Amino acid sequence: MSEDEKRFDVVSHNLPKVDGEALARGRRVFLDDIENSPELVAGILTSPLAHAEIVDIDTSRAEKLPGVESILHYGNVPRVPHTTAGQGYPEPSPYDAYIFDNRVRFVGDRVAAVAGTSWQAVQEGLEAIEVEYNELEPILDPARSRESNVQIHPEEDASGIYDSDRNIAAHVDIEVGDPKRALDEAEVVVTQKCKTQFAQHTPIEPHVATAHLDEYDRLIIRTSTQVPFHVRRIVSQVVGVPIKKIRVIKPRVGGAFGVKQEILLEDLVSLFALRTGKKVKMRYTREEEFVSSRTRHPMEVEVRLGADKEGRLTGITMEALSNTGGYGTHSLTVLSNVGSKTLPLYNEAPSVHFYGDAVYTNMPVPGAYRGYGAPQGYFALEVAMDQLAEAVGKDPIEVRKLNHIQEEETSPIFEKLGEGKEGTVQYIHSCKLDKCIDLGAEKIRWEERDAIKRNYKTEDKARGFGISINMQGSGIPLVDLAAARLKLNEDGSFNLFVGATDLGTGSDTVLAQIAAETLGVDLDQVVVYSSDTDFTPFDSGAYASSTTYVSGNAVKKVAEDVKEQILELAANYYDLGPKDLDIAKGKLLTPAGSVDLSEMAIKTTSGEIELDQKQIEATASEVPAESPPPFAAHFVDLEVDKRTGEIEILKYVAAVDCGTAINPNLAEGQMEGAIVNGIGYALTEEMEFSDTGEMTNPSFFDYKIPNTEDIPEIEVILVESDEPTGPHGAKSVGEIGIDGAIPAISNAVRDATGIVLTESPFTPEKVWKKLNEGK
Amino acid sequence: MLSNVTKYHIPGSLGEALSLHNRESRSYFLAGGTGLALSDSNRPVELIDLDDLELDELEVDREAGRLLIGATRKIQQVVGCPDLEGFADGYLQDGLEKVGSYPIRNAGTLGGSIVRPFPWSDVIPILLALDATILYFDRSHEKRELSRLYDDDFRPTLRNAIVTGIEVSLPDEGVTRGSFQKFSRSEFDVASLNVGCTITERDGEIVKARMAVGARPSFATRLTEVEESLKGRSLNEDLIYETAELASQTAAVSSDRKMSKEYRVAQVRKMAEDALRDITSEFN
Amino acid sequence: MNITIEINDEDKEFQVKPGEILLDLLRREGYTSVKEGCKAGDCGACMVLVNGRAMTSCTLYAAQVDGKRITTLEGLNDELADSLRQEFLDVGAIQCGFCIPGVLISSYSLLTHNPNPTEGEIKAALDGNLCRCTGYIKQIEAIKNVARDLEGGNNERRREKI
């Protein structure tokens, strides 16, 4: 039993997920199963061209087809500039999207949608729509886009675009200290530029949504989403139905990873439901999921490090060029995060310059994706740190330890750079990064690596070890709002209502554990109901690594409130002071002995004597003042086949400080999933395109995510710390695990072969070409 | 969903199956279904399920090195067949285990792999290196070497015939061993390049060699120069290097989205080398 | 056309179109544990047992299983299935759960035919099930644990690797 298991009754224990049994039995908890036979289904006609104006759209033939009930296109829907990003209002993303526009901006962009009585009717309807396009020059390259006179968003009614003449959706430029001078005067300077690819989230459940009007003409939307409350607001905005007439319900979500932080189907099912009065379902096919949903921003990031001869950083500059595709959803915030989630890690550097653009192209649309800019930033930063280590003749670990942030320290970046605007001052209260590094190094046998490499007697293969250290955040300070409601039932159980959104991560379980721990009851006494805009209080949603920390704090607060109310009532009843009483393990502890909580609970509703009858309940809100970063150290031991450039990871170790792990199994699961996701990003996953911007591999057959046989031995170590601002000491763990794979693998390949891999994914052929350069 | 399919036949005899097929040019034979189900083609209007024809036999005479596998035998039922263990030193089973994923091997058949030969097929180079023969029914029972699968005169014949099985006959003398090498982007991926190789050795001398390269990216082919050059020699490191070099020079490969030509050349060298080294270690 | 399937130990007759995919039939008949994740035989979310063998129902025609025995997760209720479910829950091998019906079908099929698999055999048996949440680590661990519990019981390993 760990120290924390002893410290807590419920938290820190590996309890099975509260929804686990239903999932393990394959019960109808996913939307496609709940709404298995809706009245109507609908599909989308997408653009075959990367850039074009729609001159004419003729739906007359399609309308006459049997089974076709409704057709939507730019000519018959409201034109409301908005963003598809499910972000807090006012969104930091430009309003550059429309339900339908008379212009298409990438292959896969919306042209029209058809609702009909069967998938076949819909398919036939879509095929019967005639569209006349005026093809425009497609801009596929972000660097060229800024210089081009072809404008991707020339429309007058868009807003929030940084510079639409130059196709720049968003721009960031922050400076602390005097970075120019710092680099000019640095004893050692290293420069590293790295480039990342288009990659996809690929939840196994594609996007799915239904809508219908209930008996009172309210619009009921069920959707597999990360952001039910933002869905409600944005649907209201674009469809023109007041928020009070919309209810959004989130069923179980079959994976999301950021791609469901986006309003992609909800506006269309809503419009169809309003126009037909029938229940309508839409779901992406796997191909549509690849082509038309969202991706990760491809970027070029250049880092320059200035340091003294000891390797102590004096200045850092980081420049990012982000490709935001046809629309600017999340363009500013992902770009900001490239710097804000990476640069504070090395707070030893007094001078920092971070700047960059997110640029429109006629490519698929990137959005939120686990890591949210941090993986792109860490690639260049962590590869550069290894270059610095070499330049000053030190161990990569030593150089990192010399420069990384420590407990009770701060970084000026926290204040300068927030979520698309200025950030907030923040001191680090918990950081066990050194311990993460030490434990990870031990497991990977870092100290023995020279001997291991020397004894690796094979001519064809080279062995190498690599490291990357990372931080992330826990929610968006002074922006996110999470609320929770808790009520006591007469059997001593509780209903916990949270707006927070479980995507499969286990957050319902984690939040219930926080409530149970705080109340002093067993987990099975807390019944969670989450993500229903009619019945649960507001929550910004599941993104930015926020749920455990932000929603968790709301839950902790509300549980404290309810516990206090119970103790007050009990004190009245027993004629004691509230301090004489407590609740533990489901029992009310009195000086005279313990009674089951249910005995007190029943009295709150049954009208017994002195006790006031009342519903014991409370609602609590949390707006975080800080975003305490989790920290992690990733280590890779790999071999490179010098004949072919193939990389085989022999062992992967990641040690993470996520504060208290509320449910260690689930925390490990977040890390393991993110690491494998990261390995896929590093080695095999890449959306490929024709020279007209069409994705050429939109299937699992051709877009290769790891399966069981692709994964190496992976060891995750939870290094607990106690975050004083977190619920029971917790921070986040959802995203940080994906930050390390690319740089750690690149650094290990360099250790093995001397070549520096700077473009992901590291396919064998790329590595082979680098190995043969100069031969 | 093949939306234009109006008829699903389950014929009871080869003759009946063939008649059904000849009657409708847009009819398709169904062996495992894995290939056809993936196509959303509107072309098929009739499906002819071969499941009732009992073409799933597997006869093996390990002593004589002879093997017959029915066309509708599932690939996994070959991989997992205990009678086949050790045949060509496990080459066939080890190789076929690299085809697709477990559920795909459970449904997919050898016959289907031959009738719908994809350029990236693993089955074909594996069988090419075994000198396999295709058995087919074309009003009468016929056979032809698998290596002639892509011959101009054989394709039309096969389109109007039913593949009933494949036959393998190892050389009478000597010991045959093999190795199948597959390069793919991830473990569950079709080959970007694959190499099947068998060597028959007697008293330390190679009496027969077969090497086939697939996913070049075009259809698999045998490297006859390599095969000839190995004959009469003894396996050793020098020969392995020499042969790998010859394989890389003579395999006609080209570029596609997955690999450049020059990288394929390097991979052929490496895979031929690994295959021969694998076989050598088995002999030793 | 009409077909008869023994599905989850129940004989049922269904009317199907000749070109209909088994996955579509199963879902429209309410066997919704069978998920649609790619409809191309790549992700394994739609896996079922056909005469005891794990297959993707999206690559089979409904007519192909006429007269055969189909088992979906709804029909897996014996001791082995329950141990698997419990172990998956205990080690945290289920995150979103969308791939889980397919993963459990594969795991069940594996342990039925090979109660004492190596880690390599476990990975091979699950190579047709894509999971994006867990990284597979805890799924493999859960299967190992169930196999360990099976030891001492009937541990005779069948020779045939089905």
Side-chain angles (χ1 to χ4, degrees), chain C residues 9-148:
Chain C
D9 298 324
E10 224 182 315
D11 286 325
K12 286 210 170 176
E13 200 173 307
F14 301 110
Q15 202 177 20
V16 302
K17 292 183 191 130
E20 187 165 2
I21 301 296
L22 178 59
L23 166 63
D24 293 334
L25 168 70
L26 292 173
R27 288 191 58 84
R28 92 174 141 79
E29 290 296 332
Y31 299 96
T32 51
S33 76
V34 186
K35 307 293 180 209
E36 180 180 331
C38 72
K39 233 177 179 182
D42 296 320
C43 79
C46 67
M47 229 180 255
V48 297
L49 299 176
V50 180
N51 287 353
R53 291 171 193 281
M55 297 189 197
T56 47
S57 62
C58 70
T59 56
L60 291 167
Y61 295 98
Q64 270 180 293
V65 300
D66 189 12
K68 296 201 163 75
R69 188 162 40 87
I70 301 282
T71 313
T72 69
L73 185 65
E74 286 94 343
L76 282 190
N77 292 307
D78 62 7
E79 208 180 318
L80 175 59
D82 286 339
S83 322
L84 275 165
R85 267 192 280 267
Q86 195 54 51
E87 201 56 39
F88 268 62
L89 289 171
D90 287 348
V91 306
I94 300 173
Q95 285 190 33
C96 85
F98 195 80
C99 71
I100 287 298
V103 171
L104 287 174
I105 289 281
S106 287
S107 313
Y108 182 91
S109 159
L110 168 71
L111 294 182
T112 309
H113 300 113
N114 179 2
N116 188 18
T118 63
E119 178 159 332
E121 286 169 334
I122 295 173
K123 286 183 170 183
L126 265 69
D127 71 348
N129 295 97
L130 294 179
C131 168
R132 194 58 149 170
C133 293
T134 66
Y136 310 104
I137 313 286
K138 295 200 188 299
Q139 299 184 350
I140 294 165
E141 183 189 335
I143 296 167
K144 274 192 203 164
N145 292 349
V146 173
R148 195 175 309 129

Side-chain angles (χ1 to χ4, degrees), chain A residues 82-405:
Chain A
H82 68 283
T83 177
T84 56
Q87 298 177 300
Y89 183 83
E91 305 96 325
S93 296
Y95 278 11
D96 59 1
Y98 311 87
I99 302 174
F100 291 103
D101 197 359
N102 61 343
R103 181 181 278 263
V104 286
R105 298 178 178 83
F106 68 99
V107 177
D109 204 355
R110 288 175 174 188
V111 174
V114 172
T117 50
S118 70
W119 292 113
Q120 192 165 344
V122 167
Q123 195 51 44
E124 285 164 8
L126 292 170
E127 283 164 15
I129 296 173
E130 285 157 37
V131 188
E132 190 189 327
Y133 295 100
N134 173 29
E135 197 170 349
L136 303 169
E137 185 191 331
I139 307 295
L140 306 180
D141 177 59
R144 212 171 69 77
S145 184
R146 277 189 297 201
E147 319 304 328
S148 170
N149 50 22
V150 178
Q151 237 182 302
I152 293 171
H153 281 279
E155 68 275 14
E156 294 281 312
D157 50 354
S159 63
I161 297 173
Y162 177 73
D163 182 352
S164 57
D165 291 335
R166 296 178 60 218
N167 289 327
I168 301 175
H171 173 79
V172 176
D173 192 338
I174 61 115
E175 201 172 281
V176 297
D178 189 346
K180 187 180 178 309
R181 191 167 150 201
L183 279 143
D184 285 348
E185 293 176 358
E187 290 168 320
V188 182
V189 175
V190 297
T191 303
Q192 185 63 56
K193 188 172 187 172
C194 290
K195 196 174 168 186
T196 55
Q197 74 277 32
F198 269 104
Q200 242 274 346
H201 317 62
T202 73
I204 309 301
E205 177 203 44
H207 286 76
V208 53
T210 64
H212 71 279
L213 296 172
D214 74 0
E215 299 78 356
Y216 310 101
D217 287 331
R218 292 180 79 238
L219 179 64
I220 314 298
I221 302 169
R222 288 181 194 264
T223 174
S224 180
T225 184
Q226 297 175 230
V227 285
F229 287 88
H230 298 331
V231 167
R232 183 176 66 169
R233 191 191 72 240
I234 293 172
V235 167
S236 167
Q237 174 194 7
V238 301
V239 174
V241 172
I243 283 179
K244 67 182 174 192
K245 296 202 82 174
I246 303 175
R247 175 181 175 194
V248 178
I249 306 163
K250 178 213 71 107
R252 294 288 99 192
V253 172
F257 316 105
V259 79
K260 292 174 182 170
Q261 195 195 335
E262 201 78 15
I263 282 65
L264 294 177
L265 299 175
E266 293 89 343
D267 54 339
L268 297 179
V269 285
S270 298
L271 275 173
F272 279 131
L274 289 164
R275 292 196 181 182
T276 64
K278 295 180 180 171
K279 184 177 281 183
V280 187
K281 175 161 88 175
M282 296 185 82
R283 71 190 300 276
Y284 273 151
T285 61
R286 180 54 57 189
E287 181 176 348
E288 289 170 327
E289 187 70 30
F290 272 111
V291 171
S292 296
S293 77
R294 296 293 179 254
T295 72
R296 191 191 289 284
H297 290 83
M299 288 193 199
E300 279 182 46
V301 178
E302 183 171 277
V303 167
R304 292 182 73 212
L305 301 178
D308 65 18
K309 273 183 278 191
E310 298 300 309
R312 215 177 295 275
L313 288 167
T314 53
I316 307 177
T317 68
M318 185 185 267
E319 180 186 6
L321 175 61
S322 173
N323 182 347
T324 194
Y327 298 91
T329 171
H330 297 277
S331 56
L332 173 61
T333 37
V334 168
L335 176 64
S336 301
N337 261 23
V338 173
S340 69
K341 292 287 178 279
T342 60
L343 296 168
L345 182 64
Y346 293 122
N347 69 333
E348 185 65 25
S351 296
V352 178
H353 188 196
F354 174 72
Y355 59 108
D357 290 331
V359 176
Y360 288 118
T361 60
N362 295 114
M363 294 291 278
V365 185
Y369 189 167
R370 189 178 223 171
Y372 207 77
Q376 295 97 317
Y378 276 119
F379 185 4
L381 181 62
E382 283 298 279
V383 172
M385 285 302 285
D386 266 30
Q387 310 268 37
L388 174 63
E390 184 181 79
V392 300
K394 286 195 169 167
D395 188 294
I397 286 182
E398 201 184 339
V399 171
R400 284 175 173 81
K401 282 190 172 176
L402 207 55
N403 290 293
H404 80 68
I405 199 163

Side-chain angles (χ1 to χ4, degrees), chain A residues 462-477:
Chain A
R463 184 95 171 253
F465 292 77
I467 179 181
S468 163
I469 62 171
N470 320 96
M471 57 170 262
Q472 195 81 30
S474 301
I476 309 170

Side-chain angles (χ1 to χ4, degrees), chain A residues 548-589:
Chain A
T548 299
Y549 181 74
V550 184
S551 309
N553 264 332
V555 169
K556 182 156 180 280
K557 274 186 196 170
V558 81
E560 282 163 353
D561 188 335
V562 163
K563 183 177 175 182
E564 206 172 302
Q565 290 185 42
I566 296 169
L567 294 180
E568 259 175 42
L569 277 174
N572 273 342
Y573 181 76
Y574 291 111
D575 207 12
L576 292 162
K579 293 219 164 69
D580 301 328
L581 298 162
D582 201 1
I583 304 172
K585 300 195 170 156
K587 304 267 190 226
L588 184 66
L589 310 178

